[in-house]
Amino acid sequence: MRIDVLTLFPEFIHAAAAVGVVGRAQQRGLIEVAAWNPRDFTHDNYRRVDERTFGGGPGMVMSTRPLTDCLAAIRTAVPEPARVIYLTPQGARLTQRRVRELALLPRLALVCGRYEGIDERLIAREIDEEISIGDYVLSGGELGAAVIIDAVGRLQPGALNDADSAAHDSFEDGLLDCPHYTRPEVDAQGDAVPAVLLSGDHAAIARWRRREALGRTWLRRPDLLARMTLSRADRALLDDFRRTWLA
Ligand SMILES: Nc1nonc1C(=O)N[C@H]1C[C@@H]1c1ccc(S(N)(=O)=O)cc1
């Protein structure tokens, strides 16, 4: 997969994509991340990339000409057509379901807004999809781009050493993940790891993990649970969790 990012801060994108799982995925050739600065597509002496917004009032908008020229260069950089995504608070909230869909595409182009964003006509003409990473306003879309690069990059085949760990991430099956534990078995405060995890009984461990994932989702994100149709076995596990929790 190739991801091109239009940003006034390429160094941020390169740094975010150079570490961890995504950095390793780049080294393995599983993903290629390229950053493009619209400032390199300006023609005035001041290399202006922002303009006043029509109608007066505070706030600037990113200059359209450098964005248009930068996007044209991105599109023609490689033959593969790209899905062009604009990071904005006005976009659809990013979900793991959408991340899984995006991870299957051959190429993405992420447009990072700054200031108050970009001209609406540019959105209509050039943007395929608007995505928000949350209901808050950032100083730039670069953090959103980094989120998409990481979430999509880690799902590339071969990116995770233990592919299974992606399969049981939170949201992968609509649920939050179960709790995780590591050494020591009993910590300095005397708190012990749940005995079932030390039992070697893989069926019991799987049941415990599913029960905890269902219960944790019920407690923390009932909205996710409301969207699900639970199997008879899941309903029994959740009822058991609820009985214990409410006892
Ligand atoms: N949340 C977010 N998820 O992704 N990007 C997010 C974000 O805050 N980007 C902001 C810098 C840019 C921006 C873009 C558009 C608008 S506007 N006027 O359209 O509301 C306001 C601010």
Side-chain angles (χ1 to χ4, degrees):
M1 162 178 266
R2 176 173 167 122
I3 301 180
D4 292 277
V5 183
L6 184 157
T7 172
L8 290 176
F9 300 100
E11 68 277 11
F12 178 90
I13 297 298
H14 288 137
V19 299
V21 169
V22 177
R24 195 175 59 223
Q26 284 204 86
Q27 288 169 350
R28 293 176 177 172
L30 304 175
I31 189 170
E32 182 185 6
V33 177
W36 303 70
N37 191 337
R39 202 179 292 277
D40 296 335
F41 296 82
T42 55
H43 305 284
D44 63 302
N45 297 334
Y46 302 99
R47 306 186 76 206
R48 291 292 306 257
V49 288
D50 63 339
E51 308 274 356
R52 293 195 175 287
T53 183
F54 278 125
M60 303 292 280
V61 177
M62 294 183 80
S63 305
T64 295
R65 175 74 189 277
L67 293 182
T68 302
D69 293 351
C70 185
L71 270 169
I74 288 172
R75 290 183 194 281
T76 55
V78 294
E80 191 83 54
R83 182 164 186 79
V84 183
I85 296 170
Y86 175 43
L87 282 307
T88 167
Q90 301 191 35
R93 288 284 299 275
L94 184 65
T95 64
Q96 188 63 19
R97 175 194 295 267
R98 189 61 187 137
V99 164
R100 280 201 300 274
E101 293 164 350
L102 294 175
L104 299 174
L105 298 177
R107 191 177 176 210
L108 300 178
L110 306 179
V111 177
C112 301
R114 282 268 154 178
Y115 320 114
E116 294 303 319
I118 67 178
D119 189 295
E120 196 65 22
R121 292 164 292 182
L122 191 62
I123 295 174
R125 198 169 50 239
E126 300 271 5
I127 302 298
D128 297 315
E129 179 176 0
E130 296 179 68
I131 289 179
S132 170
I133 60 167
D135 292 339
Y136 35 77
V137 180
L138 302 164
S139 57
E142 284 77 10
L143 285 169
V147 163
I148 290 178
I149 290 168
D150 188 281
V152 163
R154 65 189 290 279
L155 293 184
Q156 296 306 303
L160 291 175
N161 287 333
D162 176 359
D164 187 49
S165 68
H168 294 282
D169 283 354
S170 287
F171 308 106
E172 275 305 320
D173 53 4
L175 295 174
L176 300 183
D177 200 359
C178 62
H180 292 273
Y181 298 86
T182 189
R183 292 178 301 168
E185 293 181 14
V186 182
D187 65 16
Q189 290 71 33
D191 293 327
V193 170
V196 66
L197 296 179
L198 310 175
S199 68
D201 180 342
H202 297 297
I205 290 169
R207 274 196 311 278
W208 180 88
R209 284 175 169 165
R210 185 70 180 179
R211 178 183 177 277
E212 289 297 314
L214 286 159
R216 186 162 276 211
T217 307
W218 170 63
L219 287 172
R220 300 181 181 193
R221 291 295 305 275
D223 59 303
L224 295 177
L225 208 56
R227 294 183 207 151
M228 295 183 69
T229 304
L230 297 182
S231 67
R232 184 190 302 270
D234 279 347
R235 281 201 300 275
L237 288 171
L238 182 53
D239 288 345
D240 182 53
F241 182 97
R242 284 178 176 141
R243 274 194 298 275
T244 308
W245 182 266
L246 299 172

